[in-house]
Amino acid sequence: AVWQDILKLPKVGINDNFFDIGGHSLLAVQLHSRLKQLIDTELTLIDIFTYPTIKSLEEFIKKRINSEDEIITVQTSKRAVMSKQRINRLKSRNIDLDDNADIQKN
């Protein structure tokens, strides 16, 4: 519906090229603005030009979201490893962690 609204067309297919069916740079800016309001991921104006069909843009966004999820997973894993390393350092210094995670010296 966003593409139809921006282009003022009754119907837009998922394989229709935005620029071939009446889109131009000013309308691309409007499309970009509307899509940024609707989706929760980074989207640039260049992405609209690079992925000018609904289908190609959707595939790009899905890949970006999946890669953002992977980055978050990797960062979380790194934090877990770092936490384990800190715990091991504390233990090697004869510092125990009780159930409440309070640090106590032996």
Side-chain angles (χ1 to χ4, degrees):
V2 173
W3 289 49
Q4 291 169 259
D5 291 345
I6 299 288
L7 294 167
K8 305 215 184 312
L9 294 174
K11 185 176 180 183
V12 175
I14 63 170
N15 293 310
D16 289 339
N17 185 303
F18 180 80
F19 301 99
D20 291 344
I21 59 174
H24 51 74
S25 59
L26 295 176
L27 291 177
V29 171
Q30 291 178 21
L31 177 64
H32 174 253
S33 176
R34 292 270 298 276
L35 291 175
K36 281 183 65 171
Q37 293 172 0
L38 296 173
I39 60 174
D40 188 28
T41 190
E42 183 65 29
L43 184 68
T44 67
L45 183 57
I46 293 170
D47 296 333
I48 304 293
F49 285 89
T50 306
Y51 306 99
T53 67
I54 294 171
K55 184 177 181 179
S56 65
L57 189 59
E58 175 192 29
E59 289 171 355
F60 167 73
I61 291 168
K62 283 181 179 179
K63 285 179 186 175
R64 174 165 284 170
I65 290 171
N66 286 338
S67 93
E68 286 173 357
D69 287 345
E70 289 172 11
I71 289 169
I72 290 168
T73 301
V74 167
Q75 289 174 342
T76 302
S77 296
K78 283 182 180 179
R79 285 187 199 123
V81 168
M82 289 173 60
S83 294
K84 287 179 184 178
Q85 289 171 343
R86 287 183 188 131
I87 290 169
N88 289 336
R89 278 196 301 262
L90 291 171
K91 285 181 180 178
S92 71
R93 295 180 188 154
N94 292 326
I95 298 173
D96 290 328
L97 301 174
D98 68 10
D99 291 341
N100 296 323
D102 292 329
I103 299 176
Q104 300 174 344
K105 288 191 175 184
N106 282 346

